[in-house]
Amino acid sequence: MTFRLSFKNYRLPLQIPLHTTYGIWREREGLLVRTERADGVIGYGEIAPIEWFYTETLSEAEAALRALPVEFTEKDIAALPAKFGCVRFGLEQATAEPEPLIKALRLPMAASLPSGRNAIKVLAGKLNAGFLTFKLKVGVNAPEEELDILDELVGQLPNCATLRLDANGGWDRRIARKWLTRCANWPVEFVEQPILATDMNGLLGLAEDYPVKIALDESVTRIETACEWQERGWTGVFVIKPALAGSLSALAAWQRKTKADLVLSSAIETALGRAAIFRWALAGERTKRALGFGIGEVFGEKVLDGPIAGPLIDVHWYASVKPEELWNALP
Ligand code: MG
């Protein structure tokens, strides 16, 4: 089957700027694609690179779209170099038939807490809303201060709740060891990226030395990288942002084959990209862990954010996102 492509750039201010290791992230830039199949069927997809996650750049993504033949096929998508995970995700979303939904699954969602003392305030509201998995960024303030806040936070958690700690690679090995020791006393589901993404030996060592699970996030963007970690003996958690990882069908095949322990997580994409991810997550057993998309309203507009995500996601979330509306809402 052949397709014709049109695309739009978007630049959307984030309602609450995100503090990252690489500075403050204030606006999300990306591309929406619209494809028209030879038989007239229209499809939509989203391409949302994050350069500091080692994806293609936005301009590389745009150049790859311009380089496609006027009438392109699935083969042209498959022929893109491995680096183009975001383009592959967006084009597959727009062109491939999604997997049928076999059973009415519901998936739990993790709620993100702000860093610092604010986390304790926000936690109460999230517990009332029914969330049971919480994610907290650490490595932002002084370790002693953060450890005290954690003690207090844990005191507020009901028995069945768990915490994910995300250091975004911000600790050195010494501080990481201090934290991982303390984690033995807390209901921690996993510690995400305790040290630098590139410190493979350090991460493998920490995973071996402490009972708490360690998750790779910045260390792993695409499936090929995850495979390299598996070859080196990694049996911990992989945080995968499907919008960056590439083809969803390839991701499913890899997960089935290797039984990789996955957490699916947001790349701050719009509701268009997220709808494809949720639909895919609901179509099969990809993960036994809560989804990492509980980040609230990102853009502050319903058409861009989709419905507010509660503690459980089901098919209604995905079904209420109308790709055409999103496409039309952007200039
Ligand atoms: Mg992370």
Side-chain angles (χ1 to χ4, degrees):
M1 199 63 88
T2 61
F3 301 89
R4 282 176 171 268
L5 176 78
S6 38
F7 64 88
K8 286 180 177 181
N9 286 73
Y10 66 76
R11 178 188 278 235
L12 301 166
L14 301 182
Q15 214 181 17
I16 301 169
L18 293 175
H19 292 256
T20 76
T21 321
Y22 307 91
I24 299 178
W25 196 11
R26 296 180 193 280
E27 35 180 37
R28 183 43 155 141
E29 287 185 89
L31 296 155
L32 297 189
V33 297
R34 179 183 184 276
T35 57
E36 186 170 350
R37 211 163 69 176
D39 60 4
V41 171
I42 306 292
Y44 295 92
E46 178 168 359
I47 299 172
I50 307 179
E51 283 175 41
W52 64 86
F53 263 85
Y54 313 104
T55 69
E56 69 268 49
T57 64
L58 185 61
S59 49
E60 285 169 337
E62 200 176 323
L65 295 184
R66 290 191 195 284
L68 285 172
V70 176
E71 295 199 325
F72 71 97
T73 68
E74 291 91 344
K75 277 190 185 156
D76 295 304
I77 305 175
L80 287 164
K83 181 184 183 183
F84 288 86
C86 304
V87 174
R88 188 169 273 116
F89 170 86
L91 290 178
E92 186 187 87
Q93 182 186 0
T95 57
E97 291 290 342
E99 279 175 78
L101 290 168
I102 297 162
K103 50 185 175 182
L105 281 178
R106 302 174 99 195
L107 291 171
M109 181 70 74
S112 288
L113 300 175
S115 56
R117 297 208 70 80
N118 256 345
I120 297 162
K121 236 184 275 167
V122 173
L123 175 72
K126 297 286 180 191
L127 281 170
N128 283 339
F131 286 94
L132 288 171
T133 304
F134 301 94
K135 171 167 164 168
L136 186 68
K137 294 244 180 232
V138 287
V140 182
N141 301 310
E144 283 313 323
E145 188 188 330
E146 290 187 337
L147 286 162
D148 285 349
I149 291 170
L150 248 294
D151 275 332
E152 205 175 318
L153 199 68
V154 168
Q156 313 283 320
L157 286 180
N159 279 340
C160 49
T162 54
L163 268 178
R164 299 172 172 181
L165 304 181
D166 188 357
N168 290 111
W171 294 331
D172 58 30
R173 289 189 191 185
R174 189 183 59 84
I175 296 174
R177 290 189 179 279
K178 188 171 179 178
W179 274 85
L180 295 174
T181 306
R182 284 282 281 273
C183 282
N185 308 319
W186 296 326
V188 172
E189 184 187 4
F190 55 76
V191 176
E192 199 170 314
Q193 205 68 56
I195 55 176
L196 274 184
T198 46
D199 187 359
M200 200 180 222
N201 287 331
L203 285 157
L204 285 163
L206 292 177
E208 205 166 300
D209 292 349
Y210 292 89
V212 62
K213 282 230 173 247
I214 294 180
L216 302 176
D217 183 11
E218 284 86 346
S219 288
V220 174
T221 304
R222 286 179 297 274
I223 304 163
E224 306 88 70
T225 331
C227 290
E228 288 168 23
W229 278 90
Q230 287 174 321
E231 278 162 29
R232 286 287 305 274
W234 184 261
T235 56
V237 179
F238 290 105
V239 177
I240 298 284
K241 299 179 186 335
L244 311 184
S247 153
L248 286 177
S249 54
L251 186 60
W254 167 71
Q255 197 282 327
R256 265 196 311 273
K257 187 174 163 216
T258 66
K259 304 280 181 288
D261 188 351
L262 293 193
V263 174
L264 304 174
S265 156
S266 165
I268 318 295
E269 60 284 298
T270 72
L272 178 60
R274 207 174 312 160
I277 296 165
F278 286 177
R279 195 192 188 295
W280 171 83
L282 289 163
E285 285 170 18
R286 324 291 188 201
T287 174
K288 57 184 182 192
R289 299 184 183 275
L291 302 174
F293 290 79
I295 45 176
E297 292 167 63
V298 178
F299 305 109
E301 277 185 58
K302 179 143 192 286
V303 68
L304 300 171
D305 287 326
I308 291 173
L312 285 173
I313 284 291
D314 64 14
V315 68
H316 298 293
W317 195 98
Y318 143 77
S320 65
V321 174
K322 305 279 179 264
E324 192 184 346
E325 275 177 26
L326 222 139
W327 172 268
N328 291 332
L330 293 175

